[in-house]
Amino acid sequence: MADVANLEQAFERITVTDENDDQLVTTTTYHKSKGSLSTAVSLAGLSSSASAANRMKLPLQKLATANSAKIINAKVTLPSQAAQNRSSDEIPAHGHRRTLTESALYFNPSSPKQWHLGMFEIGKPLGKGKFGRVYLAKERATGFVCALKVLHKSELQQGGVEKQVRREIEIQSHLTHPNILKLFGHFHDSKRVFLILEFAGKGELYKHLRREQRFPEWKAAQYIAQMAAALKYLHKKHVMHRDIKPENILVGIHGEIKISDFGWSVHAPNNRRKTMCGTLDYLPPEMLRGGKENYYSEKVDLWSLGVLTYEFLVGEAPFEDTQVMTQRKITRGEYTVPEFVSLEAKDLIKKLLVLDPEKRIALEDIEKHPWILKHCQKGERAYNRATGGKFRDSSDRDS
Ligand code: ATP
Ligand code: MG
């Protein structure tokens, strides 16, 4: 209950400014306001091919947003969310309950709601991205808790990413899966675009990984199984994500993962795409090669899943090095797996990090892989069984 109070506090004494104000929360007053909101939004690091060094810097800045931690780590089931936690059409593949399914936000099949800022109470900032800030928010009418991402149109324009954002909205709003961050809706005023997102109660997976250094095999396997389930869903819809990495994965209140950031994803009905995008460490060889060979399909996500599996288990990406060396290692598929990684896990990594995209293990076969089966039986969390059904993860241990 104390946690609920904590979260409720996050909404206290907050005034939302509307359309005419420059900033969403310029009149916000925080009682524990250590991190006041700066108005400047950095456009630095805009380049899509961020170097390894770039990648390392970002999370440190993110970790410094201390006042979001309170909310993120709060183990809450808000009354509004409890009502929304009932299961629905899709049974999650790996035992994590589906959340937020019957919300007013979500469940509006016939008449899409006309959203505006006044319908939300704005809470604490949850984080800051390249083009905007994300706030905890609550729909006034229902008390439904969500995350509101605020993007400034002028900055999107300057960054030349309007198209990309439009694509992100278009794609993400059609996706409904327990391991994919739900986009409930969007609206805009003259200056800003607002995205109404599912609130991922346990924050960024990247932070969890950095805190724990590397995940135990059971946890890595369960995360990878959830990733595979989400990718299977995406690929069936002919969507490839193309930017799979820990920074783009959030963690839900029950410790389940939520893929976010569809900025680089693309609808691929039949054709193969040729754009360069994503972070170097996670780029598959076919995306690095120039010329005729530089085509790729949704198999790019399988390579990235291999990199992710490795990073979960080892604590760093397999090809991490200088930019030139990383590129060289990727095109040759050169990496070594430390001794402490189990043979089963090594085997899955080997079957994902295959130079020839067509020869990578299929998503259906990942589900049946011995390493996954060992740690995620019958769609139930092995760990969950072992602890008598109590959901636990690292952040539980920390608090
Ligand atoms: P980029 O601009 O490259 O997408 P980013 O992913 O960090 O960077 P945002 O997606 O704008 O940027 O999110 C900023 C931060 O806010 C995230 O890193 C995360 O900590 C937090 N955040 C974003 N969305 C949510 C959410 N739905 N629930 C909880 N926290 C969130
Ligand atoms: Mg993001």
mmCIF file of all heavy atoms in Angstrom, residues 62 128-130 134 149 168 247-250 260-263, ligand 2:
data_model
loop_
_atom_site.group_PDB
_atom_site.id
_atom_site.type_symbol
_atom_site.label_atom_id
_atom_site.label_comp_id
_atom_site.label_asym_id
_atom_site.label_seq_id
_atom_site.Cartn_x
_atom_site.Cartn_y
_atom_site.Cartn_z
ATOM 1 N N LYS A 62 21.328 8.425 -18.434
ATOM 2 C CA LYS A 62 19.993 7.970 -18.067
ATOM 3 C C LYS A 62 19.938 7.609 -16.584
ATOM 4 O O LYS A 62 18.993 7.886 -15.910
ATOM 5 C CB LYS A 62 19.602 6.756 -18.893
ATOM 6 C CG LYS A 62 19.223 7.122 -20.311
ATOM 7 C CD LYS A 62 18.837 5.886 -21.035
ATOM 8 C CE LYS A 62 18.712 6.130 -22.512
ATOM 9 N NZ LYS A 62 18.660 4.874 -23.227
ATOM 10 N N LYS A 128 14.134 10.727 -20.544
ATOM 11 C CA LYS A 128 14.311 11.686 -21.618
ATOM 12 C C LYS A 128 14.950 10.958 -22.786
ATOM 13 O O LYS A 128 15.928 10.231 -22.610
ATOM 14 C CB LYS A 128 15.236 12.788 -21.095
ATOM 15 C CG LYS A 128 15.569 13.879 -22.059
ATOM 16 C CD LYS A 128 16.421 14.920 -21.311
ATOM 17 C CE LYS A 128 16.915 15.992 -22.240
ATOM 18 N NZ LYS A 128 17.997 15.525 -23.131
ATOM 19 N N GLY A 129 14.381 11.135 -23.946
ATOM 20 C CA GLY A 129 14.963 10.528 -25.137
ATOM 21 C C GLY A 129 15.582 11.601 -26.004
ATOM 22 O O GLY A 129 15.709 12.748 -25.582
ATOM 23 N N LYS A 130 15.966 11.223 -27.194
ATOM 24 C CA LYS A 130 16.593 12.190 -28.089
ATOM 25 C C LYS A 130 15.646 13.335 -28.424
ATOM 26 O O LYS A 130 16.041 14.476 -28.528
ATOM 27 C CB LYS A 130 17.003 11.491 -29.385
ATOM 28 C CG LYS A 130 18.397 10.892 -29.321
ATOM 29 C CD LYS A 130 18.696 10.151 -30.615
ATOM 30 C CE LYS A 130 19.251 8.783 -30.339
ATOM 31 N NZ LYS A 130 18.672 7.736 -31.163
ATOM 32 N N VAL A 134 9.410 11.703 -21.369
ATOM 33 C CA VAL A 134 8.315 10.796 -21.066
ATOM 34 C C VAL A 134 7.885 11.036 -19.620
ATOM 35 O O VAL A 134 8.731 11.140 -18.729
ATOM 36 C CB VAL A 134 8.751 9.327 -21.260
ATOM 37 C CG1 VAL A 134 7.592 8.379 -20.995
ATOM 38 C CG2 VAL A 134 9.290 9.114 -22.668
ATOM 39 N N LYS A 149 4.501 10.331 -23.785
ATOM 40 C CA LYS A 149 5.741 10.762 -24.427
ATOM 41 C C LYS A 149 5.450 12.049 -25.197
ATOM 42 O O LYS A 149 4.532 12.092 -26.004
ATOM 43 C CB LYS A 149 6.228 9.653 -25.369
ATOM 44 C CG LYS A 149 7.586 9.901 -25.976
ATOM 45 C CD LYS A 149 8.119 8.596 -26.586
ATOM 46 C CE LYS A 149 9.374 8.792 -27.379
ATOM 47 N NZ LYS A 149 9.942 7.498 -27.815
ATOM 48 N N GLU A 168 6.641 5.135 -36.769
ATOM 49 C CA GLU A 168 6.648 4.509 -35.447
ATOM 50 C C GLU A 168 5.223 4.425 -34.897
ATOM 51 O O GLU A 168 4.792 3.389 -34.399
ATOM 52 C CB GLU A 168 7.543 5.354 -34.520
ATOM 53 C CG GLU A 168 7.790 4.723 -33.166
ATOM 54 C CD GLU A 168 8.868 5.467 -32.357
ATOM 55 O OE1 GLU A 168 9.450 6.437 -32.878
ATOM 56 O OE2 GLU A 168 9.108 5.056 -31.216
ATOM 57 N N GLU A 247 18.710 -1.251 -24.661
ATOM 58 C CA GLU A 247 18.213 0.114 -24.465
ATOM 59 C C GLU A 247 16.787 0.280 -24.968
ATOM 60 O O GLU A 247 16.097 1.217 -24.576
ATOM 61 C CB GLU A 247 19.099 1.131 -25.224
ATOM 62 C CG GLU A 247 20.502 1.257 -24.674
ATOM 63 C CD GLU A 247 21.489 0.316 -25.352
ATOM 64 O OE1 GLU A 247 21.084 -0.829 -25.678
ATOM 65 O OE2 GLU A 247 22.645 0.703 -25.542
ATOM 66 N N ASN A 248 16.369 -0.587 -25.851
ATOM 67 C CA ASN A 248 15.028 -0.470 -26.417
ATOM 68 C C ASN A 248 14.044 -1.461 -25.814
ATOM 69 O O ASN A 248 12.997 -1.734 -26.392
ATOM 70 C CB ASN A 248 15.076 -0.650 -27.937
ATOM 71 C CG ASN A 248 15.688 0.553 -28.614
ATOM 72 O OD1 ASN A 248 15.711 1.645 -28.050
ATOM 73 N ND2 ASN A 248 16.193 0.360 -29.820
ATOM 74 N N ILE A 249 14.427 -2.009 -24.676
ATOM 75 C CA ILE A 249 13.534 -2.952 -24.018
ATOM 76 C C ILE A 249 13.195 -2.425 -22.629
ATOM 77 O O ILE A 249 14.073 -2.036 -21.873
ATOM 78 C CB ILE A 249 14.200 -4.348 -23.921
ATOM 79 C CG1 ILE A 249 14.536 -4.862 -25.332
ATOM 80 C CG2 ILE A 249 13.286 -5.333 -23.197
ATOM 81 C CD1 ILE A 249 15.405 -6.106 -25.344
ATOM 82 N N LEU A 250 11.914 -2.371 -22.331
ATOM 83 C CA LEU A 250 11.483 -1.933 -21.010
ATOM 84 C C LEU A 250 10.980 -3.142 -20.233
ATOM 85 O O LEU A 250 10.796 -4.216 -20.802
ATOM 86 C CB LEU A 250 10.386 -0.867 -21.140
ATOM 87 C CG LEU A 250 10.824 0.470 -21.767
ATOM 88 C CD1 LEU A 250 9.624 1.350 -22.094
ATOM 89 C CD2 LEU A 250 11.803 1.214 -20.870
ATOM 90 N N SER A 260 10.215 -1.766 -27.058
ATOM 91 C CA SER A 260 9.717 -0.444 -27.426
ATOM 92 C C SER A 260 10.559 0.107 -28.569
ATOM 93 O O SER A 260 11.396 -0.604 -29.123
ATOM 94 C CB SER A 260 9.742 0.490 -26.217
ATOM 95 O OG SER A 260 11.055 0.842 -25.884
ATOM 96 N N ASP A 261 10.361 1.372 -28.873
ATOM 97 C CA ASP A 261 11.159 2.025 -29.891
ATOM 98 C C ASP A 261 11.036 1.403 -31.274
ATOM 99 O O ASP A 261 11.912 0.662 -31.734
ATOM 100 C CB ASP A 261 12.640 1.990 -29.484
ATOM 101 C CG ASP A 261 13.086 3.361 -29.040
ATOM 102 O OD1 ASP A 261 12.755 4.317 -29.762
ATOM 103 O OD2 ASP A 261 13.711 3.470 -27.987
ATOM 104 N N PHE A 262 9.971 1.731 -31.937
ATOM 105 C CA PHE A 262 9.773 1.194 -33.285
ATOM 106 C C PHE A 262 10.198 2.193 -34.360
ATOM 107 O O PHE A 262 9.780 2.112 -35.509
ATOM 108 C CB PHE A 262 8.321 0.746 -33.464
ATOM 109 C CG PHE A 262 8.067 -0.575 -32.790
ATOM 110 C CD1 PHE A 262 7.887 -0.648 -31.418
ATOM 111 C CD2 PHE A 262 8.079 -1.747 -33.521
ATOM 112 C CE1 PHE A 262 7.699 -1.868 -30.783
ATOM 113 C CE2 PHE A 262 7.890 -2.978 -32.896
ATOM 114 C CZ PHE A 262 7.694 -3.037 -31.525
ATOM 115 N N GLY A 263 11.053 3.126 -33.939
ATOM 116 C CA GLY A 263 11.507 4.162 -34.857
ATOM 117 C C GLY A 263 12.222 3.633 -36.091
ATOM 118 O O GLY A 263 12.173 4.224 -37.161
HETATM 119 MG MG MG B 2 13.123 5.096 -26.971
#
